[in-house]
Amino acid sequence: MFQRFRRTRLNKHLRALVRETQVSVDDFIYPLFVRSGEGIKTEVASMPGVYQMSIDVAVKECAELKELGIYSIILFGIPDTKDSVGSDALCEHGIIASAVKEIKKVHPDMFVVTDLCFCEYTDHGHCGIIDEERETVVNDATLELSGKQAVVHAKAGVDMIAPSGMMDGIIETLRDALDEAGYEDLPIMSYSTKFASGYYGPFRDVAESTPSFGDRSSYQMDPANRREAIAESIEDEAQGADILMVKPVLAYLDIVREIKDNTTKPLAVYNVSGEYAMLKHAGAAGLIDYDRVMMETMVAFKRAGADIIISYHAKEVAKLLKK
C-alpha cells in the first residue's frame, strides 16, 4: 500500500502540529549602522528600510525593537575620520565604543554584539593593515590590532564580539586578549566561514566600506570551496569560538548543513545585504509575494541548521509572527 502523506496536510491545525521547523523572534539579531551626530536617520537607496543612524536615533530604534520582541543587535560603526590603520576602532571614544556605552546605559536588557573589523574604519576599505607592495592585508599585524580593538569593545560594555575579517588565528588572538584583560566570560561569535561574495554590494553602501583597490579574495573564502569552508569553522571552534557563522547564507545552505553536522557549537547565518535587497526590490516590483517569500527564506535557514539569523528582515519577520 502506498503512503498517504496528504492525511497530515488536510487540516491547518494538524499541519501546525507536525511542522518540523519553527521560526521564532528569539532567533534574530538585527544589524544597526551608527555614526556621529544627532537626529540622523538616512535611508540607504540600495537597501529600503535600512538606515545610517546617529547614536540617539539608534537608542530609540532599540526601544522599537524591544516592542517587537527583538532584544539582540549587532553594531557597525561609520567613523568621521578614516586612516590607514582604522584608529577610530581602537579608540575608547570612537563611534562603536560610544554607541555601546549609550545603548547599554538606556537599554541594559539589550544584548549588544559588535562587529570587530577594520574595513569601515580604514581609508583603503580593507580589513586590516595593508602590505602595499602585495596589495593584501598583513595577517599577524592585523591580529595584534584586533586584540586591542576587542578590549576597547569589552570595556565599553559589549555583550558579545563578532570578528569578521577572516584573519588566520583571529579567535585565539581575541580569546587571549580578552582573557588577559579580565573578560574571560565574554563570548565570541566568529564569522568562521565567510565567502568573498558578490552579495555584499549594498552593505558597502551603508557601511561606506568599499575597498579602494582590489577585492578581499586574498583573505575571504573562495565560494567554490566546500571542504575548506567546513575546515574554517572547525578551526575556529578549536581556537575557542563560542558560536560559528556562515556568511552569506542563501547560496550556501549546503555549507550550513555540513558545518551543523560537524560541530557541537551553535551556528549563526548572516542573511546579507544583497539577499535582502533582492527580495525588497522584487517585492516592490510585484514579482513575488514579499511576505511569503521572506518567511519561506527564513524557514530555509532554520531547516538547513541555523540557530541564529542575522537579518535586515528581522523587524518585518517579528511583525508577521505577532499576527
Side-chain angles (χ1 to χ4, degrees):
M1 180 182 293
F2 61 85
Q3 177 69 39
R4 292 190 179 274
F5 290 101
R6 293 184 59 204
R7 287 175 183 152
T8 56
R9 300 174 189 162
L10 294 174
N11 184 284
K12 68 177 182 179
H13 299 297
L14 183 52
R15 288 197 299 272
L17 285 169
V18 300
R19 189 165 293 133
E20 299 175 27
T21 304
Q22 304 287 341
V23 176
S24 164
V25 70
D26 294 328
D27 297 329
F28 288 90
I29 299 175
Y30 188 63
L32 290 179
F33 298 87
V34 292
R35 65 182 318 143
S36 61
E38 292 185 2
I40 297 171
K41 188 175 183 180
T42 306
E43 188 171 25
V44 181
S46 58
M47 297 178 69
V50 175
Y51 301 85
Q52 293 180 346
M53 302 176 181
S54 52
I55 295 173
D56 59 318
V57 174
V59 168
K60 295 176 183 177
E61 182 76 4
C62 288
E64 180 181 334
L65 289 168
K66 290 196 297 184
E67 288 181 4
L68 292 170
I70 299 170
Y71 280 79
S72 299
I73 59 172
I74 182 167
L75 292 178
F76 298 86
I78 305 162
D80 289 334
T81 303
K82 304 187 180 193
D83 59 26
S84 62
V85 297
S87 299
D88 190 273
L90 304 171
C91 176
E92 294 186 7
H93 304 289
I95 184 62
I96 279 291
S98 298
V100 171
K101 291 172 186 175
E102 190 62 25
I103 289 171
K104 291 299 291 185
K105 182 175 74 173
V106 180
H107 301 287
D109 54 346
M110 206 78 191
F111 186 79
V112 179
V113 186
T114 48
D115 176 82
L116 188 148
C117 195
F118 288 98
C119 59
E120 298 121 86
Y121 306 93
T122 54
D123 52 13
H124 47 71
H126 281 280
C127 298
I129 303 299
I130 289 294
D131 179 333
E132 294 185 2
E133 184 176 340
R134 297 169 61 207
E135 291 194 342
T136 190
V137 173
V138 181
N139 195 91
D140 293 4
T142 300
L143 291 182
E144 184 178 351
L145 289 184
S146 297
K148 295 177 180 179
Q149 186 182 165
V151 173
V152 168
H153 291 198
K155 288 181 177 179
V158 74
D159 296 300
M160 184 162 69
I161 287 173
S164 62
M166 286 295 287
M167 296 298 110
D168 292 337
I170 185 67
I171 301 303
E172 182 177 324
T173 297
L174 298 188
R175 188 72 273 159
D176 288 348
L178 291 169
D179 290 356
E180 185 176 338
Y183 298 101
E184 57 276 349
D185 291 330
L186 189 63
I188 298 173
M189 177 172 65
S190 172
Y191 285 67
S192 53
T193 297
K194 181 180 178 181
F195 293 92
S197 172
Y199 282 97
Y200 301 146
F203 173 90
R204 291 169 185 170
D205 292 338
V206 64
E208 300 180 6
S209 61
T210 302
S212 61
F213 63 87
D215 58 28
R216 296 176 179 145
S217 297
S218 68
Y219 45 101
Q220 293 178 356
M221 275 206 56
D222 186 332
N225 291 2
R226 179 183 63 83
R227 289 175 297 179
E228 184 186 8
I230 299 165
E232 282 273 13
S233 279
I234 298 304
E235 171 63 22
D236 279 9
E237 178 179 7
Q239 288 184 29
D242 300 285
I243 299 171
L244 306 175
M245 188 195 300
V246 176
K247 180 184 180 182
V249 55
L250 197 58
Y252 300 94
L253 292 175
D254 59 322
I255 304 300
V256 175
R257 171 44 58 190
E258 291 210 48
I259 292 174
K260 185 66 174 180
D261 289 342
N262 282 277
T263 181
T264 60
K265 295 294 184 182
L267 183 59
V269 295
Y270 201 134
N271 178 207
V272 301
S273 59
E275 298 166 349
Y276 171 83
M278 286 193 303
L279 263 62
K280 292 297 285 188
H281 290 291
L287 300 175
I288 59 171
D289 180 333
Y290 174 77
D291 288 347
R292 182 177 179 180
V293 172
M294 176 181 66
M295 292 305 297
E296 187 175 337
T297 302
M298 300 303 130
V299 169
F301 299 160
K302 291 295 298 290
R303 191 182 63 243
D307 301 294
I308 298 166
I309 301 171
I310 304 170
S311 179
Y312 307 99
H313 293 293
K315 290 167 64 177
E316 296 167 302
V317 171
K319 290 174 184 177
L320 287 176
L321 291 175
K322 272 183 173 288
K323 293 181 181 179

